[in-house]
Amino acid sequence: MQARLHAILRVNDIPHPVYNFLADYSDNELGPWDGIDPDPLSVTPVDWEFLGESIRFPLGVGASCLTANANWIRYFAGHGYNVLTYKTVRSEARNPYPYPQWVFLEDRDPWLDLSVVSHVRGGIDFWPKDMTRISTANSVGMPSTHPDEWTKDIGACREMLARGQLLIVSVVGSDMRSPTGLANDFAHVAKRAGDAGATIIEVNLSCPNTFAAGKSMSPICEDAEAAAAIVGAVRKALPPTVRIVAKLSALRTPALDAVVRSIGKNVDAISGINTNTVQLR
C-alpha cells in the first residue's frame, strides 16, 4: 500500500484493502485502490422490495469513506452491491480530521462483557496477524464537499446505477448555535439532496462528530426531543414521496424506546448501528 502497487496486487489476485489506510482521506477520495474496472453490474433478479422500491439482492454499503463519491459508488455497484448510501453530506464544505483517519487495531479477544472493556491500541504500523479477526478504528470527522459539488455528484450516481439498484443519501446538520438552527440546517441539507434526485434520505443522528463551544457532544439520538425536532423539520422540507431513514447509534433499551417513539411518525425506517464511540487520549 505504501508503494502504491494496488494495481499489481489486483492483477495477481492478491487480497488488499480497496481503501488505503496508509494514505490520507483526500487521496482515497479519488476512488478505490483497485487497478481493474469492476465486474459487470449485478445480474441478480429484481425480486426484493425496500421502502417501496423494487431492488436486486439486498446487499449494500452504508454511508462511509467507501461511498464518498460517484467513483466509489460505481465501484461497489459494479460488484453487486445494490443498496448504496452516499456518504454523509453537509450544508458547507468540511475538511476531515488530520491523518491517520482509519487504522487497524491490535489483535485481541472480542469483548463479550462491555463492563470489562480494556484498552486497545491502533496505528498505521499495525497490521492484522489473523485476517479472520480484524478490528479497526476511525476518526474521520464527517468531511463534506461543497453542496454544489455533492449535489452534482449525486446526479451522476443516480445515472450510473442499473435497474434494481438504489441510492440513499445521508445528511447531517452543522449549525450548532441552537437546537432550532441545527434542525433547520438538517432540513436544508435534506431538501438539497432531494432536489438532486434522492428518493430516500438518511438523517444521521448517530455520530458524535458535532461540537458546541469547543466541546464534543453525544450523538443526537440520545436526546429524543432534539431528534424529534430534527426529523420533523426534515419531513416538512421534503415531498411526501421522499422516504426518511433515521440512523441511530447503539442505545440501551430505555433510550432507544424514547427516541423511536419520538421520531416514529415521521420516519419510514431506522438504520443502525454506528460504530462504538471512545475517548481518544
Side-chain angles (χ1 to χ4, degrees), residues 86 149-159 167 169 193 196-198:
Y86 195 93
E149 185 173 342
W150 59 252
T151 51
K152 182 178 180 180
D153 199 51
I154 287 170
C157 291
R158 285 176 49 80
E159 291 178 2
L167 182 72
V169 178

Side-chain angles (χ1 to χ4, degrees), residues 73-148:
I73 296 292
R74 179 186 294 110
Y75 178 83
F76 285 107
H79 280 88
Y81 293 86
N82 298 313
V83 182
L84 301 143
T85 305
Y86 195 93
K87 188 189 169 304
T88 306
V89 293
R90 297 179 179 269
S91 59
E92 58 186 28
R94 177 75 63 91
N95 290 326
Y97 289 157
Y99 172 84
Q101 294 108 357
W102 198 355
V103 299
F104 285 111
L105 300 179
E106 62 182 340
D107 293 342
R108 54 152 291 121
D109 293 329
W111 294 321
L112 300 179
D113 182 352
L114 294 183
S115 66
V116 292
V117 171
S118 58
H119 292 291
V120 294
R121 295 183 300 160
I124 58 174
D125 296 327
F126 281 98
W127 196 261
K129 299 181 180 65
D130 182 351
M131 296 302 289
T132 67
R133 298 176 60 196
I134 294 175
S135 294
T136 68
N138 71 81
S139 182
V140 184
M142 281 197 295
S144 176
T145 57
H146 188 276
D148 290 344

Side-chain angles (χ1 to χ4, degrees), residues 205-276:
L205 305 174
S206 70
C207 287
N209 302 338
T210 51
F211 291 85
K215 295 182 180 180
S216 179
M217 298 177 63
S218 299
I220 298 169
C221 59
E222 294 184 5
D223 185 332
E225 184 177 346
I230 290 167
V231 172
V234 170
R235 180 69 280 168
K236 289 180 181 178
L238 296 173
T241 53
V242 177
R243 276 83 73 205
I244 297 175
V245 178
K247 183 180 180 183
L248 307 181
S249 60
L251 297 170
R252 296 189 181 277
T253 300
L256 178 61
D257 181 73
V259 71
V260 169
R261 289 179 183 276
S262 73
I263 65 176
K265 66 180 181 181
N266 285 318
V267 301
D268 299 281
I270 291 174
S271 66
I273 61 173
N274 197 48
T275 51
N276 292 325

